[in-house]
Amino acid sequence: MSPDRAALEARWLDLTRVRLPRAARPDWPVRLDHCFQRILLDHATGGVWYDSIARRPAYAHAPDDVLARAVALGEDVLSGRADLATLNAQSLRWRGKVRA
């Protein structure tokens, strides 16, 4: 693994396992690491991530550009430049899920 890839994966894990869950607000639709990962990877791939990334864990097998897009979007969520509720709703639509 290249140093750049290792750094990108480290950023992903810190973002989704630590920073986003810690920053979760009452109005956010999710609080758990795997939910943040689902939303960000779905948007980075333009649909359900497992239709594009066959192996698990997804972050380890995602192309560099996909993982970089997911990290950037997560940073946008943290900074308020992206709306997590809207992103989650789209992710759920791609998955055919309806929220009660």
Side-chain angles (χ1 to χ4, degrees):
M1 176 183 314
S2 76
D4 289 342
R5 178 62 189 213
L8 183 59
E9 288 186 16
R11 285 181 58 206
W12 169 256
L13 293 172
D14 180 58
L15 179 67
T16 61
R17 290 183 178 171
V18 179
R19 295 172 59 215
L20 283 165
R22 189 178 292 157
R25 301 185 321 241
D27 62 322
W28 281 10
V30 300
R31 288 170 181 63
L32 301 175
D33 60 354
H34 65 277
C35 296
F36 291 115
Q37 292 170 355
R38 167 187 53 84
I39 294 165
L40 300 176
L41 286 171
D42 279 1
H43 282 275
T45 61
V48 179
W49 67 260
Y50 49 75
D51 290 341
S52 300
I53 305 167
R55 296 182 62 203
R56 280 33 168 202
Y59 76 88
H61 299 285
D64 290 354
D65 62 321
V66 168
L67 191 57
R69 281 195 304 272
V71 168
L73 184 56
E75 295 289 350
D76 286 348
V77 168
L78 277 176
S79 71
R81 291 185 304 263
D83 179 52
L84 186 61
T86 300
L87 296 171
N88 183 54
Q90 178 59 59
S91 173
L92 293 173
R93 276 193 297 279
W94 281 328
R95 291 162 178 272
K97 302 205 178 199
V98 178
R99 292 187 59 95

